[in-house]
Amino acid sequence: MNLFGITNAPPVPKIEPEKPQGTLDWAKDIRFSSWNDRIPEEPAFRPLPWGRILILLLALAALLLPFLIRDDAGIRMFALVFVSIILEALPFMLVGSLVGGLIEEFVSREKFTVRLPRRPWVMVCIAAALGIVFPVCECAIVPVVRRLVRKGLPLSAAVAYLLGGPIVNPIVATSTLLAYKFNWIVPGIRLAAGYAIATVVGLIMGRLFMRRTALLETHDSHAHSCVCGHAHQAHKKLPSRIFAAIRHASNDFSAVAHYLVVGAAIAALAQTVVDRRLFLNCASLPLLPSLLMMLLAILLNLCSDADAFIAASFRGLLSLPAQMAFMLTGPMFDLKLLLMYRTLFHRRAIIVLAGLILFSVFIVTAILEMIWGRGT
Amino acid sequence: MGARDMKYITHLLSRYGRALLFGAWFYALIGLLPQGYQTFLRPEFGGLLAVGLLALIGFLFSEMGQFGHDRPFGLNEAIRLLILTVPLAYLPIARTASLDSNAFQRRWTGLSASPDEKTLMSTNTALDISALNTERVREVTLADLCRMPRAYKNRRLAVVGMIHRAPDIKKRFGDNACVLFRFVVTCCAADAMPAAILLIGEVPADWPNDTWIRAEGQFALRDDQGKPMPTLELSKATRTAKPRRPYLY
């Protein structure tokens, strides 16, 4: 017996309950036992889905509101901003869904996975810069990545492309250059920092999560149920393959677009209520302006092609690191993206991803503030 | 409404819900396409919307091709359909709205020329065109003035915009001071930023905020606590109709 009154007897072997035949061995796939997915028990009775009923009622109220209050200045501004965000994002999302549908139908899983680089870090480094070749904004990228993931793109590379694509691309570089009056340093820092964050976060996500614990199974009501992995599409004729691609695209669009609407509504509300001059009151404090600009980027849900112009409007008022915090956060993480990530990741993965993005942006802006100072 | 009716509605929505939704969006976009979308987006987005419309037609045909099949329809699908319908309900109000003083107050971060212009003003004299003929009144936009205030210094200008009177402006610059502003759109109304100058002169008191005016006068860069402030010393103000395109690009 030791000091604590515990005998040094050999540990009693733990008897594992016998695993029923046919169940999945989750433990093999999960590195952190605390993050294990619980297999839900079959409920004795099915309770009413109050949460979803509440959402339904809220959506119904939002639908009726413009018919009840028409002349209020606030609701008119809300409506204008709300519809503007949706109309701006809609073509990109529709085209993104179409690209996703074409990938699903015309890219075979075997060929796709064979062509991926063998070394994971190389794949992540390439994926984070893929936006240079395939420039996509953040609205279009989610449906594309959903399909790439289905084709076997690893989690780390998917995250790297998801985060890097909307920043590391020529359109964003050009718009940032124009917004900052051809000052090459700003787009240079933006693209380099965006690339670095996308790569690092992609690698970390790949270390922290297994594919199954991070990524949702994407169900396509029209995809056939065969799981053998062979490319059955090759047997179909071109018109029917195109039709199938459009069907996949339509499903993808329906699965993601409602998150865009909710995100746009919250952003429009924020634009109707938040006074931007409030952000200027803390301009002289260290790091706080960066944090507030990150918050503003999350609330405003701006397109990555246009956000540089908003950031540039704070020139002379807030420091460049604070402006950079705005330009780095928005394309990687804002309200509509937070909701759209729900079609791709499990909740825990989203929480970790959001934390990593915000932490990385904060670190980058802190480093920039050390180098650049807090001057405007 | 009985359970049987509910079942019938669910059946209809499961078969035709998405097609109806895509049809409604198609109708809305067609209505916006000639020029109506410019209330929300910059003119160049017309092509993108047309591409989106083509994709939507594809989706519509794809859904119509499955009219004979029931798809699973639960609360989740009903929520999705309802949420995707919400923007259509706001479209009629949004089409008649435009960014005004209310938006200006929220988005305005203050009056001053950009730091680049400040540097330019102190170092570069090559662009000083103040000695040129200042008699002729030149029509400019507020966006031009805010982008290159130095180029218009001391010139007689005419500029169109909306007026905004605020207590803090009056307090700082006197009772006859107000702001002339207009929104500059990069992509859409959500990212529109106000281009604004200070207006010093007699603007009739009965003209409320958001009145469109054509202001004529001498442009100057006043010093305000070390910052150059674009200012128009008003000689004439006339009310004008709202321009066909209220935003600048």
Side-chain angles (χ1 to χ4, degrees):
Chain A
M1 188 180 286
N2 62 18
L3 281 172
F4 302 100
I6 299 166
T7 51
N8 290 328
V12 180
K14 207 174 170 183
I15 300 164
E16 292 287 334
E18 200 173 316
K19 200 187 301 170
Q21 292 273 318
T23 53
L24 292 168
D25 192 355
W26 293 93
K28 272 186 188 171
D29 228 346
I30 294 166
R31 292 183 186 177
F32 297 97
S33 55
S34 59
W35 289 359
N36 282 4
D37 283 347
R38 287 185 197 138
I39 301 167
E41 288 174 13
E42 199 60 42
F45 67 96
R46 194 181 285 267
L48 275 172
W50 287 113
R52 280 182 287 164
I53 289 172
L54 185 68
I55 294 170
L56 188 80
L57 291 176
L58 280 174
L60 207 59
L63 191 73
L64 295 176
L65 193 67
F67 299 103
L68 301 174
I69 312 166
R70 293 189 73 89
D71 295 328
D72 182 68
I75 198 136
R76 286 163 69 86
M77 186 175 156
F78 170 84
L80 181 66
V81 177
F82 176 50
V83 175
S84 295
I85 294 174
I86 288 167
L87 285 181
E88 185 198 17
L90 193 69
F92 294 105
M93 192 172 257
L94 286 164
V95 172
S97 304
L98 269 183
V99 172
L102 291 171
I103 289 171
E104 178 65 28
E105 197 56 30
F106 288 92
V107 179
S108 105
R109 190 186 163 97
E110 292 90 354
K111 283 180 187 167
F112 182 75
T113 44
V114 160
R115 285 180 189 180
L116 291 173
R118 293 288 123 213
R119 291 182 180 175
W121 67 269
V122 176
M123 202 182 338
V124 171
C125 290
I126 293 172
L130 215 56
I132 295 170
V133 192
F134 303 112
V136 233
C137 70
E138 72 270 27
C139 302
I141 204 161
V142 175
V144 175
V145 171
R146 267 164 61 94
R147 288 295 170 183
L148 287 175
V149 160
R150 264 176 76 100
K151 291 290 169 190
L153 187 72
L155 168 69
S156 50
V159 170
Y161 182 45
L162 194 68
L163 304 185
I167 293 185
V168 190
N169 75 52
I171 300 166
V172 170
T174 312
S175 70
T176 313
L177 198 61
L178 285 172
Y180 282 87
K181 299 188 176 173
F182 294 92
N183 180 357
W184 287 91
I185 296 169
V186 181
I189 294 173
R190 187 181 189 190
L191 265 65
Y195 178 77
I197 292 171
T199 311
V200 170
V201 173
L203 288 170
I204 294 174
M205 285 295 283
R207 293 289 297 172
L208 290 181
F209 288 93
M210 296 296 283
R211 193 183 166 85
R212 187 187 286 172
T213 55
L215 294 166
L216 288 172
E217 287 288 319
T218 48
H219 298 291
D220 192 335
S221 57
H222 298 282
H224 67 77
S225 56
C226 177
V227 287
C228 65
H230 293 101
H232 293 270
Q233 292 96 330
H235 304 303
K236 289 195 260 178
K237 286 183 180 171
L238 186 66
S240 59
R241 290 180 78 182
I242 291 173
F243 193 71
I246 294 173
R247 249 183 0 219
H248 291 307
S250 163
N251 285 332
D252 276 359
F253 179 77
S254 303
V256 178
H258 63 291
Y259 289 120
L260 168 76
V261 173
V262 176
I266 297 168
L269 195 65
Q271 293 225 21
T272 314
V273 174
V274 175
D275 188 335
R276 291 184 196 173
R277 272 179 293 182
L278 292 175
F279 289 78
L280 306 177
N281 295 339
C282 56
S284 57
L285 298 168
L287 294 173
L288 193 61
S290 299
L291 282 173
L292 287 173
M293 287 300 274
M294 285 162 71
L295 180 69
L296 189 67
I298 293 168
L299 287 176
L300 294 188
N301 289 312
L302 296 171
C303 180
S304 60
D305 300 341
D307 60 358
F309 292 91
I310 307 298
S313 73
F314 285 93
R315 271 181 311 173
L317 304 166
L318 292 177
S319 66
L320 181 72
Q323 296 164 43
M324 199 55 74
F326 181 84
M327 288 190 284
L328 289 173
T329 308
M332 295 187 184
F333 183 74
D334 60 28
L335 282 171
K336 72 170 183 298
L337 280 173
L338 173 69
L339 295 166
M340 283 159 79
Y341 286 163
R342 291 191 62 190
T343 62
L344 192 58
F345 299 109
H346 284 293
R347 194 176 295 170
R348 285 178 201 132
I350 295 175
I351 293 168
V352 174
L353 180 66
L356 284 172
I357 293 168
L358 296 177
F359 182 69
S360 311
V361 173
F362 185 70
I363 293 293
V364 166
T365 49
I367 292 169
L368 282 175
E369 207 166 291
M370 278 195 288
I371 298 168
W372 207 276
R374 291 201 295 276
T376 57
Chain B
M1 193 185 288
R4 204 172 153 190
D5 296 331
M6 278 300 288
K7 204 172 174 182
Y8 183 64
I9 291 170
T10 308
H11 164 75
L12 282 181
L13 284 173
S14 76
R15 282 201 172 185
Y16 309 115
R18 277 201 202 173
L20 277 173
L21 178 78
F22 289 143
W25 268 102
F26 171 77
Y27 181 73
L29 286 192
I30 282 284
L32 284 175
L33 251 187
Q35 278 188 335
Y37 70 90
Q38 287 175 19
T39 311
F40 313 99
L41 306 169
R42 62 182 294 144
E44 291 82 353
F45 264 76
L48 275 172
L49 272 185
V51 172
L53 193 69
L54 286 178
L56 210 54
I57 292 171
F59 291 1
L60 189 58
F61 278 122
S62 144
E63 292 300 325
M64 284 160 73
Q66 302 167 69
F67 268 172
H69 309 281
D70 271 334
R71 77 169 82 232
F73 188 87
L75 200 52
N76 283 343
E77 182 70 8
I79 289 170
R80 266 184 220 156
L81 289 180
L82 196 61
I83 289 176
L84 286 171
T85 317
V86 169
L88 297 173
Y90 285 83
L91 197 56
I93 296 185
R95 284 190 76 163
T96 58
S98 65
L99 294 171
D100 54 13
S101 276
N102 196 13
F104 177 76
Q105 277 178 311
R106 299 270 175 270
R107 299 183 187 194
W108 191 43
T109 47
L111 274 172
S112 70
S114 66
D116 296 0
E117 297 297 345
K118 193 164 76 175
T119 318
L120 200 67
M121 201 167 77
S122 58
T123 56
N124 190 347
T125 52
L127 274 174
D128 192 353
I129 51 171
S130 57
L132 297 176
N133 178 16
T134 54
E135 289 306 307
R136 196 167 59 87
V137 176
R138 189 173 165 182
E139 294 277 348
V140 289
T141 65
L142 278 167
D144 292 336
L145 276 184
C146 291
R147 280 176 197 141
M148 306 173 287
R150 169 77 177 147
Y152 298 102
K153 195 181 161 193
N154 296 337
R155 298 197 76 178
R156 281 188 60 76
L157 304 172
V159 61
V160 173
M162 284 186 275
I163 53 167
H164 174 76
R165 291 188 183 91
D168 56 330
I169 296 284
K170 280 191 176 178
K171 201 174 161 186
R172 273 177 72 189
F173 304 106
D175 282 346
N176 63 347
C178 65
V179 172
L180 188 73
F181 75 96
R182 206 165 163 180
F183 280 94
V184 182
V185 167
T186 306
C187 284
C188 72
D191 62 44
M193 285 299 301
I197 59 169
L198 187 67
L199 214 57
I200 303 282
E202 284 305 318
V203 176
D206 57 339
W207 292 0
N209 277 354
D210 302 328
T211 304
W212 283 91
I213 68 162
R214 181 179 179 276
E216 208 178 296
Q218 184 96 1
F219 184 70
L221 285 172
R222 281 166 67 130
D223 183 71
D224 180 50
Q225 295 165 355
K227 288 183 178 175
M229 178 176 298
T231 309
L232 192 73
E233 276 148 20
L234 196 64
S235 56
K236 189 178 164 190
T238 43
R239 262 182 113 142
T240 57
K242 182 180 174 180
R244 196 170 58 85
R245 284 181 181 169
Y247 307 132
L248 300 168
Y249 305 102

